[in-house]
Amino acid sequence: MVSSASSRPETAAAPAAGERSPFARLTELLAPYQPGQKLINLSLGEPQHPMPPFLGEVLMQSLADFGHYPASNGIPAFRAAAARWLSRRYRLPRAIDPDSEVLVLNGSREGLFHAAIAAAAYVGKRNGAPAILMPNPFYPAYAAGARGAGCEPIFLPAVRANGFLPDLDALDDKLLSRTVAFYLASPANPQGSVATPAYFARLSELANRHGFMVLSDECYSEIYTRTPPGSILENAGADFKNVVAFQSLSKRSNLPGLRVGFVAGDKAFIRRFHEWRNVAAPQVPVPLQHVGIAAYGDEAHVDENRRLYGLKFDHADAILGTRFGYQRPAGGFCAWLDVSAHGGDEQAAIRLFRDGGVRVLPGSYLARPGADGSNPGAGYIRLALVQAADATKEALTRMVAVLNDHEPRG
């Protein structure tokens, strides 16, 4: 069945505009203004904590391998390290086979994009126009992947009423019978919502019943408040049929410039994905894979990273309280704030930049309008708490001061 309009799947409009970078749009929005105070940038989710210090030596020891073309599926030692980490981190139904169920990625973004194209070939003919489903708001690579695969992107509202996750009960059989893939992010970007084991199991069951792939984006899994987020791989059966999970070192290990991650799961899909990647996707330099092996072998730096994010959310708890609908997220490093009573997301972003020197991202830029014209990101702003604790505290303090001034300016 299909539920009320607030949770109804939304089809795409204006496809050319749909893939524009939200950061390019933000730059255009703020171009007429200058920051009113020393700039603090909370718009970009680029980790600013120090990279693990032991990794430089690992890279230096592997420099000679820059002289060789890397294999597209990754060196065996990297795949083994990824599989070992998955077994330590999650309660898997069985150990992942590093030879047939893991591929190295040039960062999770390119993997998420290329996976849509591989899924369209793997799943094959559907009952109607092929579609790829995704939460709304969403990571822009999902919609780009759907376009690249020649599939219709279907945007599923991820709103407060649904726990900021797509409502699986709102999906009817007609839509699911033409679905090629379902993107899910847990922890979600931007809201920080986390899927429960029951949610993952339900999604896996739908994928098996209707024959589509679940592309589970889990790159924020190591940044959480209390309970470690789970994985689709824990709730998909011993063969991991129709599901794959994407991981990255960008957030876990403060290595956004390394561009190393991996995908693991259904071996039949992994085989087809490897065939595609072998001709079309970027390879990962071997020295960087050795850095990844070392990073996945150490948890101390991950614990410290999580502690530092916790300090910043402590500041958010104290300064924001319940303002702007703030709730400390279950996972990730973003705050998702309701500024609909303060002129809306674009106007709030302008005021915070112009009057407070704080750069934030309008939530509507991370989402798409539905058939009724409503945008589930409208009225929200996203804050990425990636700066140092003192800078974060200052930015939050300025934000409260600026937005509590209700007088229209300029």
Side-chain angles (χ1 to χ4, degrees):
M1 72 274 189
V2 176
S3 62
S4 65
S6 64
S7 60
R8 183 177 299 128
E10 301 165 350
T11 57
E19 274 72 71
R20 288 203 68 215
S21 163
F23 304 106
R25 294 178 67 187
L26 178 61
T27 297
E28 291 175 0
L29 177 72
L30 299 181
Y33 309 99
Q34 293 297 318
Q37 302 184 51
K38 183 179 179 181
L39 181 65
I40 303 176
N41 188 359
L42 302 184
S43 66
L44 184 63
E46 180 182 57
Q48 299 294 305
H49 299 162
M51 63 174 273
F54 61 89
L55 296 181
E57 183 178 349
V58 175
L59 180 62
M60 291 299 295
Q61 292 173 349
S62 308
L63 291 179
D65 285 323
F66 277 122
H68 306 285
Y69 284 122
S72 62
N73 62 340
I75 60 175
F78 177 86
R79 298 197 307 272
R84 286 194 301 270
W85 179 79
L86 287 170
S87 290
R88 291 196 307 271
R89 173 62 176 80
Y90 298 109
R91 295 181 178 179
L92 300 179
R94 63 164 174 81
I96 291 281
D97 179 3
D99 292 328
S100 63
E101 295 175 330
V102 179
L103 291 177
V104 71
L105 299 175
N106 196 272
S108 59
R109 180 170 68 171
E110 68 84 5
L112 288 160
F113 171 81
H114 284 284
I117 300 171
Y122 175 72
V123 170
K125 186 175 176 58
R126 303 306 283 154
N127 186 22
I132 291 182
L133 282 53
M134 65 198 71
N136 193 24
F138 60 95
Y139 185 48
Y142 306 163
R147 299 289 185 200
C151 297
E152 178 186 5
I154 304 290
F155 303 112
L156 309 176
V159 295
R160 188 177 297 278
N162 306 338
F164 292 116
L165 291 169
D167 181 1
L168 300 182
D169 291 331
L171 307 178
D172 60 31
D173 287 349
K174 183 177 180 181
L175 173 60
L176 293 173
S177 70
R178 66 184 183 95
T179 297
V180 163
F182 189 122
Y183 282 109
L184 180 71
S186 176
N189 174 11
Q191 310 98 323
S193 47
V194 171
T196 65
Y199 189 98
F200 277 133
R202 169 76 169 140
L203 182 54
S204 174
E205 185 272 328
L206 289 174
N208 288 334
R209 188 195 315 170
H210 294 280
F212 60 81
M213 288 298 305
V214 177
L215 309 177
S216 186
D217 181 356
E218 301 175 8
C219 72
Y220 286 91
S221 68
E222 303 315 286
I223 304 170
Y224 53 85
T225 296
R226 294 180 182 86
T227 304
S231 170
I232 189 74
L233 298 175
E234 297 176 296
N235 301 280
D239 57 359
F240 310 115
K241 183 175 175 59
N242 290 328
V243 306
V244 286
F246 293 78
Q247 277 288 344
S248 167
L249 289 169
S250 296
K251 276 68 176 182
R252 176 191 182 273
S253 298
N254 303 312
L255 293 167
L258 188 72
R259 310 316 304 143
V260 173
F262 69 85
V263 60
D266 184 329
K267 67 172 62 178
F269 174 75
I270 290 288
R271 181 170 58 250
R272 177 60 66 91
F273 195 13
H274 179 215
E275 290 172 354
W276 170 256
R277 294 185 56 74
N278 206 23
V279 296
Q283 300 150 291
V284 180
V286 172
L288 306 190
Q289 294 186 56
H290 284 295
V291 172
I293 293 167
Y296 278 120
D298 179 78
E299 293 297 326
H301 75 279
V302 184
D303 294 339
E304 173 62 9
N305 194 37
R306 193 160 46 243
R307 184 188 73 83
L308 293 174
Y309 283 117
L311 292 175
K312 289 180 278 192
F313 277 108
D314 288 345
H315 288 315
D317 293 348
I319 296 168
L320 298 180
T322 59
R323 291 183 178 94
F324 320 116
Y326 168 75
Q327 292 181 338
R328 188 163 178 156
F333 54 49
C334 294
W336 185 238
L337 304 182
D338 184 351
V339 293
S340 55
H342 301 270
D345 54 332
E346 287 189 321
Q347 285 304 308
I350 290 171
R351 289 179 63 195
L352 287 170
F353 181 75
R354 182 193 61 199
D355 301 340
V358 179
R359 187 181 176 105
V360 301
L361 190 64
S364 60
Y365 293 3
L366 294 168
R368 297 292 176 268
D372 63 357
S374 65
N375 181 318
Y380 287 87
I381 54 173
R382 190 193 77 171
L383 280 63
L385 304 189
V386 294
Q387 302 295 339
D390 287 348
T392 300
K393 181 179 180 180
E394 172 65 18
L396 294 169
T397 302
R398 291 185 202 171
M399 190 183 81
V400 170
V402 168
L403 293 185
N404 275 352
D405 175 7
H406 291 283
E407 292 299 318
R409 305 281 298 275

